[in-house]
Amino acid sequence: MSLDPYSLCPCESGNKLKFCCADIATEMIKALQLHEGGQSRVARKILEKLHQQQPARAWISTSFAGVLLSLNEPAAARDALKELLKETPGHPLGRILDATAALDIEGYDSARAAIHRAFTKGVKHHPEMVGSLAAGVSSILLDEGRYMASRQHMALAMRFVRPEDREQVIMQLLKSDSDKSIPYLLRGVHNLKPLDHLLNEEEQLTFKKSLGLSSLGCWSEAAAILTLLTKEYPESADLWSNIALFHVWDGDEEAAAKAFHKAGRLAEGRQQAIACETLGQLLDHEVNLVSHQVLYYKYESASRLLSLLDDVPRLVRQQNVPPGQSGDDEEFIQYQILNREPLQEKPSSPIDFSDIPKFIGSFVCIESPEYKGISRLSVEQEFYEETKEFLEEVAGDLIGPANVKNEQGEDLLPGESYESGWLEYHQLDEIFHFDEKVYGLTLSDMEHEKWDYFSKQLWQNTPFSALNDKTPLEVVGDTELAIPLAAAVNIFDIFADQFSHQLDTDGIREQLGLEKNEPYEIKDDAQLDSCEVLEMLRIPVESLSNEQLKQLLNRSQLIQHSRFSELVLGIALQKEGIIEEERMPQALHNFIDLAKLDFKIDVALQRVQLAREWSKRVGQEPTKALEWEMRELQFRMEDPEDPGLMDFLNKLYQQYLRKMPELEAIITNLLAMNNVLPPWYSGNIATPGGESDSNELWNPEKETEASSGGKLWLPGQD
């Protein structure tokens, strides 16, 4: 590493090296070469000595701080920058390094001011470092469940990172936008409202200043500036909506919720009012979560403990996670804990779900080099004391307090708590224990009954704070709560969609006496990509041109709203030329999966037949055509009593399996797991009388190399 004496000085003074920091260049270059060569601790000693002599010298302090950060010493890095930032508060690199260290030490909320100073001071000189800092903030916010703030910081990072890193950031953004575990309204774009019609010339300058801060990721400052305009325009829904977006992009979801509620009350248009109120309610749910308590135990004999727990009806053992499969050397043996013992006889129909046992927590035994003989109890706070007492009584002296300490005597496994699941939706978020043999129902039948109970009884009779602690049924006809009620229906849909259930929102609105949603008319093709999710769901899909339908298909597949995706995909599959032939198999699989995930088995089978007809029409090669038979087998096996199962297996054997012994063995094992005796073992195979080998559908020995281009899908694979 060498520096041209006439190049700009690394201290960022703007002067040439020869006339600035030449006196320390030799030692600095030596230290930085050592650092780049992997000898960071040696480099640290050189820089530490220089820093003691000149702590405010920019090149020294920033290089020293950078090395300390690489050694995972953020507190020392901040100390190294103190004198520099005291003397030169706006030093670009110093501010970025200080913010990076502060984020590591304090977390986002406490480091926010330092981060925003880094964004404003550093973006001109070090845009790629600002992009990396924004990406780091995005990752932390994503882990904390502040999804809109995470997405906006990722969009900020995309603008500033190095070109070679931009694709990775884009892929992360798309991954987040398609993550079904994130409520769909918190994904995708959210647009600021124009205020030109409202503001005078001077006020427009204030608005532009807030937009400038927003473009640099300083959303708390942007919200503060925009709030000044509410003194003059306290009744502007658009203004409050923009303030809400600035707050939520900044990660302040409570302030954002309040502003969205206010915008919803002030909005003149019904759809805008519902959209704002929906976001307000959703953010309220996101910050009011169910508390869970965690407690650690130790045990001496795993075999004795597991043998004991296996005989406890309230403990349901899950499949073991062997070492390596969890990403490390740990092995997990997990039990789900029920709130009561399982039912021993078939429940009445319709099912009274208040009588069905529910899972309230888990007990996990961990076997690893670091924590051998450690177990973890995790349970909802409401049931914690009772469950703790129950477990300790059952296990007796086979378990005891963990008391795992480090060399400093600190407890490595203290009791802890965490939050998960919307508090007001707690009753709807419960997981029921299901035993097909006892209940006499298939899983799909159980799911249909459950969601019928949720939508027609439980949800409509659950009080919500957004409805003044009244139930949806209690506020029917209350004009003052019509908008909050309409928004509450949207929230219910958001909740249901996370389970891939296609809620009949139109039917629920009709039951509650609510108006139908107004269609969102497309006047410009750009709207299809820029509209917000609630607007997208109101698009009259049937009226779109073929090109518009193609565009919307891509957007809907990204957001993955189950009901809307099914609508768009169903129309696209009916029209020629919307989906390219090479994409058609995946589109058909998606169409089948939408029915499968909503437990509509009959519909899924109809779509498998649709796929077969397409496969035959285009002459799909036999290995790929076989995938549709495997999809049908997947659904047939869910109900071993299905009268069509044996006929299907008979046909499958005649057309494929008798010529494919390896596949026959796989299918036989799958059937055995479901206690189904295959007809080729029972002697009930129907032979194709009069058929010769020349009429066989497919002989694998005749298959060419070109026809084996894809992996065969089998039931149980993703």
Side-chain angles (χ1 to χ4, degrees):
M1 176 182 179
S2 61
L3 292 173
D4 182 346
Y6 292 98
S7 63
L8 289 176
C9 185
C11 76
E12 300 187 345
S13 64
N15 298 320
K16 296 207 170 26
L17 175 61
K18 182 176 181 179
F19 307 109
C20 191
C21 292
D23 59 318
I24 59 171
T26 302
E27 286 293 286
M28 288 299 300
I29 291 171
K30 178 182 176 182
L32 295 175
Q33 284 177 330
L34 287 166
H35 176 55
E36 290 176 3
Q39 300 184 61
S40 298
R41 297 198 178 277
V42 180
R44 173 189 172 155
K45 291 181 179 179
I46 296 172
L47 292 169
E48 188 171 23
K49 183 177 179 181
L50 291 170
H51 187 263
Q52 288 171 351
Q53 297 167 355
Q54 302 181 75
R57 196 80 177 262
W59 192 8
I60 295 172
S61 59
T62 55
S63 298
F64 188 30
V67 170
L68 290 168
L69 284 171
S70 74
L71 293 171
N72 197 27
E73 297 184 43
R78 290 204 86 182
D79 286 340
L81 293 163
K82 278 183 180 177
E83 293 303 317
L84 167 65
L85 296 178
K86 185 176 179 181
E87 189 172 298
T88 314
H91 192 275
L93 182 56
R95 281 299 172 196
I96 293 173
L97 294 170
D98 180 66
T100 303
L103 181 63
D104 196 4
I105 299 167
E106 303 170 356
Y108 171 70
D109 290 319
S110 296
R112 181 188 283 112
I115 292 167
H116 289 181
R117 281 195 294 269
F119 286 168
T120 55
K121 301 298 182 183
V123 70
K124 182 178 178 181
H125 295 85
H126 302 284
E128 72 290 342
M129 293 185 73
V130 166
S132 295
L133 178 58
V137 172
S138 173
S139 179
I140 289 172
L141 291 169
L142 182 64
D143 289 342
E144 293 176 354
R146 290 187 270 185
Y147 301 118
M148 287 179 70
S150 172
R151 188 188 191 280
Q152 207 65 14
H153 279 85
M154 187 61 68
L156 180 71
M158 188 169 61
R159 290 171 45 211
F160 295 123
V161 294
R162 298 176 302 175
E164 58 265 36
D165 295 330
R166 189 163 293 128
E167 183 176 352
Q168 182 180 349
V169 176
I170 292 172
M171 293 306 296
Q172 183 60 42
L173 192 63
L174 292 174
K175 181 181 177 182
S176 178
D177 276 356
S178 61
D179 186 347
K180 285 274 291 187
S181 68
I182 300 174
Y184 65 73
L185 193 54
L186 302 182
R187 298 182 270 134
V189 297
H190 290 83
N191 302 311
L192 292 167
K193 308 294 184 186
L195 300 177
D196 296 348
H197 64 287
L198 183 69
L199 308 177
N200 61 35
E201 189 172 336
E202 184 178 345
E203 292 162 345
Q204 285 185 25
L205 292 176
T206 301
F207 182 40
K208 287 179 180 178
K209 184 177 180 181
S210 73
L211 294 178
L213 287 165
S214 173
S215 70
L216 294 175
C218 300
W219 291 293
S220 58
E221 293 84 352
I225 287 176
L226 213 53
T227 302
L228 297 174
L229 296 177
T230 61
K231 294 178 181 179
E232 188 67 30
Y233 304 101
E235 305 296 311
S236 171
D238 289 346
L239 182 56
W240 282 107
S241 176
N242 288 349
I243 292 170
L245 283 175
F246 286 155
H247 279 309
V248 76
W249 292 342
D250 190 54
D252 190 346
E253 294 185 335
E254 291 189 22
K258 291 177 183 178
F260 275 127
H261 285 308
K262 193 170 186 69
R265 290 193 296 271
L266 295 171
E268 295 181 3
R270 181 173 178 272
Q271 294 302 152
Q272 182 186 354
I274 294 172
C276 290
E277 176 62 20
T278 301
L279 274 166
Q281 289 187 26
L282 180 55
L283 293 174
D284 285 337
H285 286 302
E286 287 290 306
V287 298
N288 292 291
L289 304 173
V290 178
S291 293
H292 296 72
Q293 192 71 31
V294 177
L295 185 62
Y296 290 91
Y297 296 95
K298 68 176 180 181
Y299 58 89
E300 297 297 332
S301 171
S303 59
R304 289 179 60 201
L305 178 61
L306 299 180
S307 296
L308 177 67
L309 299 183
D310 283 343
D311 292 331
V312 179
R314 280 185 59 186
L315 299 177
V316 181
R317 186 165 177 172
Q318 306 297 296
Q319 185 175 359
N320 290 6
V321 180
Q325 191 170 316
S326 61
D328 47 38
D329 294 330
E330 293 184 344
E331 179 178 6
F332 297 97
I333 300 95
Q334 177 169 316
Y335 293 86
Q336 295 290 344
I337 304 171
L338 295 172
N339 66 334
R340 65 183 71 170
E341 292 195 2
L343 297 181
Q344 299 301 314
E345 54 186 46
K346 182 178 178 179
S348 59
S349 183
I351 294 174
D352 183 353
F353 281 88
S354 62
D355 290 337
I356 304 297
K358 306 172 185 69
F359 292 109
I360 56 174
S362 65
F363 182 71
V364 181
C365 298
I366 307 168
E367 287 291 326
S368 72
E370 185 178 5
Y371 294 124
K372 186 173 179 61
I374 295 296
S375 57
R376 182 182 69 238
L377 171 68
S378 174
V379 67
E380 295 173 17
Q381 184 68 51
E382 176 186 354
F383 302 101
Y384 175 68
E385 292 297 337
E386 183 273 331
T387 306
K388 177 176 176 289
E389 182 179 338
F390 156 75
L391 182 67
E392 292 175 355
E393 181 179 342
V394 165
D397 60 2
L398 293 181
I399 62 172
N403 292 330
V404 180
K405 300 182 183 295
N406 60 17
E407 294 178 356
Q408 289 75 40
E410 298 169 331
D411 196 347
L412 292 178
L413 295 172
E416 57 192 41
S417 62
Y418 66 94
E419 294 183 325
S420 175
W422 298 347
L423 183 59
E424 291 192 335
Y425 268 73
H426 186 211
Q427 292 185 74
L428 288 90
D429 204 15
E430 292 172 325
I431 302 173
F432 296 100
H433 176 255
F434 175 67
D435 187 326
E436 290 188 24
K437 295 179 181 178
V438 173
Y439 291 16
L441 295 170
T442 64
L443 180 59
S444 58
D445 291 335
M446 179 75 168
E447 285 292 319
H448 285 292
E449 285 216 33
K450 182 184 78 173
W451 281 103
D452 194 58
Y453 165 67
F454 280 178
S455 59
K456 293 180 180 178
Q457 296 184 52
L458 186 56
W459 179 81
Q460 295 193 22
N461 290 283
T462 298
F464 295 106
S465 57
L467 304 178
N468 295 341
D469 294 321
K470 296 179 181 179
T471 71
L473 285 179
E474 288 174 336
V475 301
V476 170
D478 187 337
T479 55
E480 290 187 4
L481 290 174
I483 295 299
L485 180 58
V489 175
N490 286 342
I491 297 296
F492 189 20
D493 183 57
I494 291 168
F495 172 81
D497 189 68
Q498 290 185 279
F499 297 91
S500 297
H501 177 68
Q502 299 177 30
L503 194 68
D504 181 13
T505 50
D506 287 340
I508 292 174
R509 290 187 188 101
E510 185 176 351
Q511 290 173 15
L512 298 176
L514 295 169
E515 298 177 33
K516 290 184 177 180
N517 278 337
E518 302 162 14
Y520 180 72
E521 299 295 339
I522 300 297
K523 299 176 182 177
D524 183 340
D525 288 357
Q527 291 175 258
L528 292 166
D529 290 326
S530 64
C531 66
E532 298 179 6
V533 176
L534 286 181
E535 292 171 332
M536 181 188 76
L537 299 182
R538 295 190 287 114
I539 293 175
V541 182
E542 300 85 351
S543 66
L544 298 180
S545 68
N546 284 1
E547 288 304 313
Q548 290 174 328
L549 184 57
K550 286 183 183 180
Q551 195 174 340
L552 184 60
L553 179 63
N554 291 332
R555 177 92 187 275
S556 65
Q557 294 301 296
L558 177 65
I559 298 299
Q560 296 185 64
H561 181 278
S562 298
R563 186 181 64 253
F564 189 72
S565 293
E566 184 170 85
L567 171 64
V568 175
L569 193 51
I571 293 173
L573 287 168
Q574 292 174 14
K575 295 189 175 185
E576 292 290 336
I578 301 297
I579 304 174
E580 299 88 345
E581 185 172 316
E582 60 269 21
R583 292 181 60 197
M584 186 64 84
Q586 186 59 56
L588 287 164
H589 277 300
N590 290 346
F591 200 42
I592 294 166
D593 285 337
L594 284 165
K596 170 198 167 190
L597 293 170
D598 202 22
F599 296 92
K600 298 173 183 174
I601 304 305
D602 290 342
V603 175
L605 288 170
Q606 292 170 12
R607 292 175 183 177
V608 170
Q609 182 58 31
L610 178 71
R612 278 202 197 93
E613 293 168 1
W614 170 83
S615 175
K616 185 176 181 180
R617 189 165 61 250
V618 300
Q620 197 178 28
E621 62 184 59
T623 49
K624 293 184 178 178
L626 179 56
E627 289 189 6
W628 309 119
E629 307 305 322
M630 296 299 99
R631 290 310 305 262
E632 178 161 348
L633 178 61
Q634 174 191 27
F635 299 118
R636 295 289 184 189
M637 286 196 306
E638 290 192 13
D639 183 6
E641 304 300 321
D642 178 1
L645 175 60
M646 287 302 161
D647 288 341
F648 170 75
L649 291 173
N650 218 328
K651 184 181 74 170
L652 185 66
Y653 182 82
Q654 291 296 337
Q655 292 181 332
Y656 294 97
L657 301 187
R658 64 194 180 109
K659 295 292 185 180
M660 303 175 67
E662 291 184 3
L663 181 59
E664 179 191 336
I666 294 172
I667 300 301
T668 299
N669 287 335
L670 287 169
L671 293 170
M673 291 169 61
N674 288 270
N675 299 314
V676 175
L677 180 65
W680 49 89
Y681 279 8
S682 63
N684 292 327
I685 283 291
T687 57
E691 288 187 359
S692 66
D693 286 349
S694 61
N695 290 328
E696 293 169 2
L697 175 63
W698 178 47
N699 183 338
E701 297 173 359
K702 299 176 183 177
E703 188 64 22
T704 63
E705 281 188 14
S707 67
S708 59
K711 180 182 177 183
L712 178 65
W713 182 91
L714 293 169
Q717 293 180 351
D718 292 332

